[in-house]
Structure formats: structure tokens, C-alpha cells
Amino acid sequence: MDLLTELLTTDLRPLDRRAADLYLGTVAQVKPDALTLPTPCPDWTLHGLLRHQVSQDEGFAAAARGDGARLSAWRGGDLGDDPHAASRASADLVARAFAETPLDAALALPEIRDGGAFPASLAIGFHLVDLVVHAWDVAVTIGVPWEPAEDLVSASLKVAALVPEDGRGPGESFGAKPRQAAGAAPEDRLLTLLGRSPSWP
């Protein structure tokens, strides 16, 4: 079975929910004065990154309901005065939407492919990777541990391997891949695949 077929035939929803727990557990440790800190995502402060993930959750939820083609569905995240509560609410929203969506349903993901659609099984994988890696972004920004379970890293690596080499760089969804050390740990390989330097900053 090739990698894409494996992902298309695997129900990643339980892992996605656990990835949300990993992410939310990290966000719970964010203090208000940390929101202006720079993050490994050069376009975002920590506030911007947290808002981005809320927007992504809302966008994936809209896509699962058949309304993901509008870019505005992916842009409306609001942290209000409690980033952790906003993050938990959006995580619950997308979890409910995924739970009600057949894995072979076509989800519009305009941030990934303009005018195209992906099977829900693969879209859930994209969301899982978002959570696992953004949990690292938050953790390294505020100086707390990032300890994803082995199966979360393994599943994320499979999805990340599908990210093409072209279309990487400033202003794109993914940065250029840093050089990877020989024998790198799976966690570091995941970060590198998604354009992050495990040694940041």
C-alpha cells in the first residue's frame, strides 16, 4: 500500500483529537505578556499564530460542512480576551464537524489548492499536522516542552511527506526545508519537512 492510499483509507480523527489536546495543553501555558513574542513562523507573533490556528479550525469546520471554498471562512479567527478559551472552542467546533463528515467527502481547501478539493480523510491529516507542529511553534516560543506521542509524530510525518518541494519560501504556506542532520530524530525530521529549524531560535 502506498503512502497516499494509506492516508486515504485511515481514520485519523482520534489522532486529530489527541493532537488538539497536545496543542491546547501548550496554549494553556501562554501568559498574556508572551503574545507579542516572535515565533518560528516569521510572519506571526504568538498572538498571530494562535489566531491563525483558530482561523484554520474554523476553516476546516466550514469545509467539513460544505462551505470551505470561501477564503473568508479561513480568515475570521478571533482570540478575544482569552486565547486558550478561543482555541478550545475552535478545536471543539472542528472536532464536531469532522465527526459528522464521511471520510470520502470532498472538502474544499482553498489555502492548499485554489478551486480544488481533497477527501476528508486527507484534510483531517492536514489539520492534524497543523496542530502538532503549531504546538511546537508555541512551545519553543514560550520555552516549554513539546512532547508529542510517537504515533502523532508518525502520522504527521506521513502527511508532511506529501508537501511538494515547489511553492516553498517567504509568503508561502511552507518555508524552504533547512538541512537535516544525519540520523535526525523523527520529531526533528517532521519540523524540517515543514520548513522549520529544530534549533530555532
Side-chain angles (χ1 to χ4, degrees):
M1 181 185 300
D2 64 35
L3 180 57
L4 181 57
T5 301
E6 179 183 351
L7 290 171
L8 291 174
T9 56
T10 301
D11 186 352
L12 292 173
R13 287 175 289 197
L15 282 179
D16 185 65
R17 187 68 241 193
R18 286 176 48 216
D21 290 340
L22 171 72
Y23 176 77
L24 291 169
T26 310
V27 174
Q29 301 175 71
V30 173
K31 303 292 191 256
D33 60 358
L35 292 173
T36 58
L37 292 174
T39 72
C41 301
D43 294 335
W44 294 322
T45 62
L46 185 54
H47 182 280
L49 189 148
L50 298 180
R51 182 180 179 278
H52 162 76
Q53 186 58 52
V54 169
S55 297
Q56 289 294 102
D57 289 345
E58 293 177 353
F60 276 103
R65 296 191 302 264
D67 193 29
R70 297 178 300 105
L71 275 172
S72 60
W74 302 79
R75 299 286 192 268
D78 183 4
L79 297 182
D81 58 4
D82 189 339
H84 183 252
S87 298
R88 181 168 294 282
S90 67
D92 290 343
L93 177 72
V94 71
R96 290 194 302 271
F98 282 161
E100 297 167 358
T101 303
L103 293 179
D104 60 354
L107 273 59
L109 306 179
E111 291 194 328
I112 298 175
R113 179 189 295 158
D114 186 22
F118 294 85
S121 53
L122 192 53
I124 293 165
F126 296 153
H127 184 255
L128 183 157
V129 170
D130 262 357
L131 291 168
V132 172
V133 176
H134 283 323
W136 176 81
D137 293 329
V138 176
V140 75
T141 296
I142 63 175
V144 301
W146 175 68
E147 298 173 331
E150 182 178 339
D151 54 353
L152 287 179
V153 175
S154 177
S156 297
L157 276 169
K158 292 174 182 177
V159 178
L162 300 178
V163 176
E165 291 298 318
D166 59 329
R168 290 174 174 265
E172 302 290 345
S173 297
F174 300 99
K177 290 193 295 187
R179 293 188 64 179
Q180 188 175 102
E187 294 85 351
D188 288 349
R189 288 195 286 115
L190 174 62
L191 297 173
T192 301
L193 276 173
L194 296 175
R196 288 157 169 82
S197 170
S199 61
W200 190 92

